[in-house]
């Protein structure tokens, strides 16, 4: 991912180190439901198993 500050016309030495990959935390990742939209996730018990489900559609993930 490029830094937007580095897209300005400047010298090459100014942009050095600004264009590097960064990790992405798991909390910033959204789960897509069957429609391809981001869905909130809930937990429910099915029998004696705890399963995750999409709150928008109710489908088990």
């Amino acid at each position: 991912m490029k830094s937007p500050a580095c897209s300005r016309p400047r010298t090459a030495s100014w942009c050095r180190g600004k264009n590097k990959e960064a990790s992405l935390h798991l909390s910033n990742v959204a789960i897509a439901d069957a429609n391809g939209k981001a869905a909130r996730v809930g937990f429910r018990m099915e029998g004696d198993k705890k399963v995750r489900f999409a709150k928008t559609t109710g489908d088990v993930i």
Side-chain angles (χ1 to χ4, degrees):
M1 175 159 77
K2 275 191 165 183
S3 172
C6 208
S7 62
R8 289 188 235 142
R10 302 261 181 157
T11 62
S13 63
W14 185 80
C15 284
R16 190 174 302 131
K18 302 271 188 202
N19 188 15
K20 63 179 181 180
E21 298 265 334
S23 60
L24 184 64
H25 195 267
L26 183 62
S27 66
N28 294 324
V29 177
I31 295 194
D33 63 0
N35 301 329
K37 292 186 176 182
R40 293 183 303 165
V41 176
F43 293 94
R44 66 177 172 216
M45 297 298 290
E46 288 189 358
D48 56 347
K49 290 188 115 186
K50 184 178 179 182
V51 295
R52 297 187 312 165
F53 71 99
K55 287 192 174 187
T56 54
T57 59
D59 296 335
V60 175
I61 297 175

